Amino acid sequence: MEQHTAYSDVLHEDTHGGGTKEVIKVTIILSVLTIVEVFLGFWMIGMEENGFGKHFVKGVIIILMLAKAFYIVGYFMHLKHELKNLIMTIIVPCLLFVWFITAFLFDGNSFRTLRNKYNPVYKQMTTEKAPATEEKKDEKKPGQE
Amino acid sequence: MATTTATATVAPKYWSGGRSPFNVEYGKLMMWYFLMSDAFTFGAFLIAYGTTRFAANGWPNPNEVFKSYPGAGEHPNAPLVFVSVMTFILIVSSVTMVLAVQAGHEMKKSRVVFNLILTIIGGLAFLGCQAWEWTHLHAEGAWWGHNPFLNSNGSVGHQDFTNFFFTITGFHGFHVFSGVIINIVMLIMTLLGVFEKRGHYLMIEKAGLYWHFVDLVWVFVFTCFYLI
């Protein structure tokens, strides 16, 4: 019974955002962000591998990606117009991603550095040009561990 | 103990019981929690991909791998074009889903049906694009365990490039597929008038949450695999 009253409360609660206008606005924002991302992707093609410019553009693309994620979750999934309780119960656990990403990427990086330092064979195999003919299969035997 | 029973009558706004502290119905809240756990699954995949990439001396250049499109000639050179089309298809289908949810709020059955059909078409179009891309890459010799593409520094291609690509886009494609199935079920239920009898279209909202999540994941997959 209690549940029934709580439920009908929910139904009549009017937590709409800005309606169709808002949807159009968000659609335009998402499209523009995607176009900018693709443009940056094209721009990046000619850049020097591992140079500062390329890393910088990649950083910009990641920021744009997060902006897109914000608009999708906030407006399309309506989270921005929900109660703060609900927002927090979703967002706070997602903060684990900060640790998750940082720790693992650092780990990958350190693995690469250590491997290059102590395993010159590995370093040579992964940096020298592949033979032009079809002997790739033999080249990459996992014996160098 | 005594004080808590005393203050219960003053009723702190949301946590005193008798109503949902989140102000959403049970199913929607659970959908949010499911999506959160799903986000961590996808997150784990993408972070594993990132870690492997950070640990590798070389990695294939996506602009050289994904540069074809249907109907292209022998030597296509159109990086990002086809995948941008796929991205737009998914964004547009997300928009039509929002419109279906809004139409549901206004109890407009025909609008709901119309927008749901558009959403389903968008989902199927995306799946078609992905099927084409997979077929194309497979024809080029790429598959789980086979990577024909050289690293951008010219060395032998990293094996995990294709492994991660097919696993993650495959997992995402499977989500799109189940999303389309869910939307078709929603369409049938709408046509049968189930929601009208029930008095609300909240079920469409839950299906919508799932569908937007699929779009959200694609934003990350698109960025991680094709752009950077």
Short mmCIF file of all heavy atoms in Angstrom, two decimals, chain A residues 20 22-28 30-31 76, chain B residues 88-102 115-116 118-119 211-212 215:
data_model
loop_
_atom_site.label_atom_id
_atom_site.label_comp_id
_atom_site.label_asym_id
_atom_site.label_seq_id
_atom_site.Cartn_x
_atom_site.Cartn_y
_atom_site.Cartn_z
N THR A 20 11.10 19.31 -26.44
CA THR A 20 11.68 19.09 -27.77
C THR A 20 12.78 20.09 -28.09
O THR A 20 13.77 19.74 -28.73
CB THR A 20 10.56 19.20 -28.84
OG1 THR A 20 9.42 18.50 -28.35
CG2 THR A 20 11.01 18.58 -30.14
N GLU A 22 14.96 21.34 -26.14
CA GLU A 22 16.21 20.88 -25.53
C GLU A 22 16.81 19.74 -26.34
O GLU A 22 18.03 19.69 -26.54
CB GLU A 22 15.93 20.42 -24.10
CG GLU A 22 17.18 20.14 -23.31
CD GLU A 22 16.84 19.61 -21.93
OE1 GLU A 22 16.65 18.39 -21.78
OE2 GLU A 22 16.76 20.43 -21.02
N VAL A 23 15.94 18.84 -26.80
CA VAL A 23 16.43 17.71 -27.60
C VAL A 23 17.15 18.20 -28.84
O VAL A 23 18.25 17.75 -29.18
CB VAL A 23 15.26 16.77 -27.99
CG1 VAL A 23 15.76 15.66 -28.90
CG2 VAL A 23 14.63 16.18 -26.75
N ILE A 24 16.53 19.18 -29.52
CA ILE A 24 17.15 19.73 -30.73
C ILE A 24 18.49 20.37 -30.40
O ILE A 24 19.49 20.15 -31.08
CB ILE A 24 16.20 20.73 -31.41
CG1 ILE A 24 14.96 19.99 -31.93
CG2 ILE A 24 16.88 21.46 -32.55
CD1 ILE A 24 13.84 20.89 -32.37
N LYS A 25 18.50 21.12 -29.32
CA LYS A 25 19.74 21.79 -28.90
C LYS A 25 20.86 20.76 -28.67
O LYS A 25 21.97 20.91 -29.18
CB LYS A 25 19.48 22.60 -27.61
CG LYS A 25 20.56 23.62 -27.31
CD LYS A 25 20.35 24.25 -25.94
CE LYS A 25 21.11 23.49 -24.88
NZ LYS A 25 20.84 23.95 -23.51
N VAL A 26 20.52 19.73 -27.91
CA VAL A 26 21.54 18.71 -27.59
C VAL A 26 21.98 17.96 -28.84
O VAL A 26 23.16 17.67 -29.01
CB VAL A 26 21.00 17.75 -26.51
CG1 VAL A 26 21.99 16.63 -26.25
CG2 VAL A 26 20.73 18.50 -25.23
N THR A 27 21.02 17.71 -29.74
CA THR A 27 21.38 17.04 -31.00
C THR A 27 22.40 17.87 -31.76
O THR A 27 23.41 17.34 -32.26
CB THR A 27 20.14 16.85 -31.88
OG1 THR A 27 19.11 16.27 -31.09
CG2 THR A 27 20.44 15.96 -33.05
N ILE A 28 22.15 19.17 -31.83
CA ILE A 28 23.08 20.04 -32.55
C ILE A 28 24.45 20.02 -31.88
O ILE A 28 25.48 19.88 -32.54
CB ILE A 28 22.50 21.47 -32.65
CG1 ILE A 28 21.29 21.46 -33.58
CG2 ILE A 28 23.56 22.44 -33.17
CD1 ILE A 28 20.51 22.74 -33.57
N LEU A 30 25.79 17.69 -30.02
CA LEU A 30 26.47 16.40 -30.25
C LEU A 30 27.01 16.31 -31.66
O LEU A 30 28.13 15.85 -31.89
CB LEU A 30 25.49 15.25 -29.99
CG LEU A 30 25.17 14.94 -28.53
CD1 LEU A 30 24.13 13.85 -28.45
CD2 LEU A 30 26.42 14.54 -27.77
N SER A 31 26.21 16.79 -32.65
CA SER A 31 26.68 16.72 -34.03
C SER A 31 27.90 17.60 -34.23
O SER A 31 28.89 17.17 -34.84
CB SER A 31 25.57 17.19 -34.99
OG SER A 31 24.40 16.48 -34.72
N PHE A 76 19.93 13.19 -22.74
CA PHE A 76 19.19 12.08 -23.35
C PHE A 76 18.75 11.08 -22.29
O PHE A 76 17.64 10.59 -22.31
CB PHE A 76 20.05 11.38 -24.41
CG PHE A 76 20.12 12.13 -25.71
CD1 PHE A 76 19.50 13.38 -25.85
CD2 PHE A 76 20.79 11.61 -26.80
CE1 PHE A 76 19.57 14.07 -27.03
CE2 PHE A 76 20.85 12.29 -27.99
CZ PHE A 76 20.25 13.52 -28.10
N PHE B 88 26.97 8.94 -36.73
CA PHE B 88 25.79 9.78 -36.90
C PHE B 88 24.51 8.97 -36.88
O PHE B 88 23.51 9.40 -36.31
CB PHE B 88 25.89 10.61 -38.19
CG PHE B 88 26.60 11.90 -37.97
CD1 PHE B 88 27.88 12.10 -38.42
CD2 PHE B 88 25.98 12.92 -37.26
CE1 PHE B 88 28.54 13.28 -38.18
CE2 PHE B 88 26.63 14.11 -37.01
CZ PHE B 88 27.92 14.28 -37.47
N ILE B 89 24.57 7.79 -37.49
CA ILE B 89 23.38 6.92 -37.46
C ILE B 89 22.97 6.66 -36.02
O ILE B 89 21.80 6.77 -35.64
CB ILE B 89 23.67 5.59 -38.19
CG1 ILE B 89 23.80 5.82 -39.70
CG2 ILE B 89 22.58 4.57 -37.89
CD1 ILE B 89 24.24 4.59 -40.46
N LEU B 90 23.96 6.36 -35.17
CA LEU B 90 23.63 6.02 -33.79
C LEU B 90 23.13 7.24 -33.02
O LEU B 90 22.19 7.14 -32.22
CB LEU B 90 24.86 5.40 -33.10
CG LEU B 90 24.54 4.29 -32.11
CD1 LEU B 90 23.64 3.25 -32.75
CD2 LEU B 90 25.79 3.64 -31.61
N ILE B 91 23.73 8.41 -33.27
CA ILE B 91 23.26 9.63 -32.59
C ILE B 91 21.82 9.92 -32.99
O ILE B 91 20.97 10.20 -32.14
CB ILE B 91 24.18 10.83 -32.92
CG1 ILE B 91 25.54 10.66 -32.23
CG2 ILE B 91 23.54 12.14 -32.48
CD1 ILE B 91 26.51 11.77 -32.52
N VAL B 92 21.55 9.82 -34.29
CA VAL B 92 20.19 10.13 -34.76
C VAL B 92 19.18 9.16 -34.18
O VAL B 92 18.10 9.55 -33.73
CB VAL B 92 20.15 10.12 -36.31
CG1 VAL B 92 18.72 10.19 -36.80
CG2 VAL B 92 20.95 11.28 -36.87
N SER B 93 19.56 7.87 -34.09
CA SER B 93 18.61 6.91 -33.53
C SER B 93 18.40 7.18 -32.05
O SER B 93 17.34 6.90 -31.49
CB SER B 93 19.08 5.49 -33.78
OG SER B 93 20.03 5.10 -32.82
N SER B 94 19.43 7.73 -31.39
CA SER B 94 19.26 8.12 -29.98
C SER B 94 18.26 9.27 -29.86
O SER B 94 17.45 9.31 -28.95
CB SER B 94 20.62 8.55 -29.42
OG SER B 94 20.80 8.05 -28.13
N VAL B 95 18.36 10.20 -30.81
CA VAL B 95 17.44 11.34 -30.79
C VAL B 95 16.00 10.88 -30.98
O VAL B 95 15.09 11.30 -30.24
CB VAL B 95 17.82 12.37 -31.88
CG1 VAL B 95 16.79 13.47 -31.97
CG2 VAL B 95 19.19 12.95 -31.60
N THR B 96 15.78 9.98 -31.94
CA THR B 96 14.41 9.51 -32.15
C THR B 96 13.90 8.76 -30.92
O THR B 96 12.71 8.81 -30.61
CB THR B 96 14.32 8.61 -33.40
OG1 THR B 96 15.26 7.56 -33.27
CG2 THR B 96 14.58 9.38 -34.66
N MET B 97 14.83 8.11 -30.21
CA MET B 97 14.41 7.41 -28.97
C MET B 97 13.95 8.43 -27.93
O MET B 97 12.93 8.21 -27.25
CB MET B 97 15.58 6.59 -28.43
CG MET B 97 15.20 5.65 -27.33
SD MET B 97 14.35 4.19 -27.97
CE MET B 97 13.19 3.89 -26.67
N VAL B 98 14.68 9.55 -27.80
CA VAL B 98 14.26 10.59 -26.86
C VAL B 98 12.87 11.08 -27.23
O VAL B 98 11.99 11.27 -26.37
CB VAL B 98 15.23 11.79 -26.86
CG1 VAL B 98 14.78 12.85 -25.89
CG2 VAL B 98 16.62 11.34 -26.50
N LEU B 99 12.65 11.27 -28.54
CA LEU B 99 11.35 11.76 -28.98
C LEU B 99 10.25 10.74 -28.67
O LEU B 99 9.13 11.11 -28.30
CB LEU B 99 11.39 12.05 -30.48
CG LEU B 99 12.34 13.19 -30.87
CD1 LEU B 99 12.38 13.35 -32.38
CD2 LEU B 99 11.92 14.50 -30.21
N ALA B 100 10.59 9.45 -28.79
CA ALA B 100 9.60 8.41 -28.45
C ALA B 100 9.25 8.48 -26.97
O ALA B 100 8.08 8.39 -26.58
CB ALA B 100 10.15 7.03 -28.80
N VAL B 101 10.28 8.68 -26.12
CA VAL B 101 10.04 8.77 -24.67
C VAL B 101 9.16 9.98 -24.37
O VAL B 101 8.19 9.91 -23.59
CB VAL B 101 11.37 8.87 -23.91
CG1 VAL B 101 11.14 9.20 -22.45
CG2 VAL B 101 12.14 7.56 -24.02
N GLN B 102 9.46 11.10 -25.03
CA GLN B 102 8.66 12.31 -24.79
C GLN B 102 7.22 12.13 -25.24
O GLN B 102 6.28 12.54 -24.56
CB GLN B 102 9.29 13.50 -25.51
CG GLN B 102 10.53 14.00 -24.81
CD GLN B 102 11.00 15.32 -25.34
OE1 GLN B 102 10.53 15.78 -26.38
NE2 GLN B 102 11.92 15.94 -24.63
N ASN B 115 8.30 7.06 -33.78
CA ASN B 115 9.70 7.27 -33.37
C ASN B 115 10.40 5.96 -33.03
O ASN B 115 11.60 5.83 -33.26
CB ASN B 115 9.76 8.24 -32.19
CG ASN B 115 9.58 9.66 -32.63
OD1 ASN B 115 10.28 10.12 -33.52
ND2 ASN B 115 8.65 10.36 -32.03
N LEU B 116 9.65 5.01 -32.48
CA LEU B 116 10.27 3.72 -32.19
C LEU B 116 10.70 3.02 -33.47
O LEU B 116 11.78 2.44 -33.54
CB LEU B 116 9.30 2.82 -31.42
CG LEU B 116 9.36 2.88 -29.89
CD1 LEU B 116 8.35 1.92 -29.30
CD2 LEU B 116 10.75 2.57 -29.38
N LEU B 118 11.56 4.46 -36.25
CA LEU B 118 12.78 5.14 -36.72
C LEU B 118 13.99 4.66 -35.94
O LEU B 118 15.06 4.41 -36.51
CB LEU B 118 12.62 6.65 -36.58
CG LEU B 118 11.69 7.35 -37.56
CD1 LEU B 118 11.72 8.85 -37.33
CD2 LEU B 118 12.09 7.03 -39.00
N THR B 119 13.82 4.52 -34.63
CA THR B 119 14.94 4.07 -33.80
C THR B 119 15.39 2.67 -34.20
O THR B 119 16.60 2.40 -34.30
CB THR B 119 14.53 4.07 -32.32
OG1 THR B 119 13.93 5.32 -32.00
CG2 THR B 119 15.72 3.84 -31.42
N TRP B 211 19.12 2.14 -24.64
CA TRP B 211 19.52 2.54 -25.99
C TRP B 211 20.52 3.69 -25.97
O TRP B 211 21.49 3.71 -26.71
CB TRP B 211 18.27 2.90 -26.80
CG TRP B 211 18.61 3.09 -28.25
CD1 TRP B 211 18.64 4.24 -28.93
CD2 TRP B 211 18.99 2.06 -29.16
NE1 TRP B 211 19.02 4.01 -30.23
CE2 TRP B 211 19.24 2.67 -30.39
CE3 TRP B 211 19.16 0.67 -29.05
CZ2 TRP B 211 19.65 1.96 -31.52
CZ3 TRP B 211 19.56 -0.03 -30.18
CH2 TRP B 211 19.80 0.62 -31.39
N HIS B 212 20.29 4.67 -25.10
CA HIS B 212 21.24 5.79 -25.00
C HIS B 212 22.59 5.31 -24.50
O HIS B 212 23.63 5.83 -24.89
CB HIS B 212 20.71 6.87 -24.07
CG HIS B 212 19.45 7.47 -24.55
ND1 HIS B 212 19.26 7.84 -25.86
CD2 HIS B 212 18.30 7.76 -23.92
CE1 HIS B 212 18.05 8.32 -25.99
NE2 HIS B 212 17.44 8.28 -24.83
N ASP B 215 24.58 4.10 -27.29
CA ASP B 215 25.14 5.26 -27.99
C ASP B 215 26.35 5.82 -27.24
O ASP B 215 27.39 6.12 -27.82
CB ASP B 215 24.04 6.31 -28.12
CG ASP B 215 24.47 7.51 -28.92
OD1 ASP B 215 25.40 7.37 -29.73
OD2 ASP B 215 23.88 8.59 -28.74
#
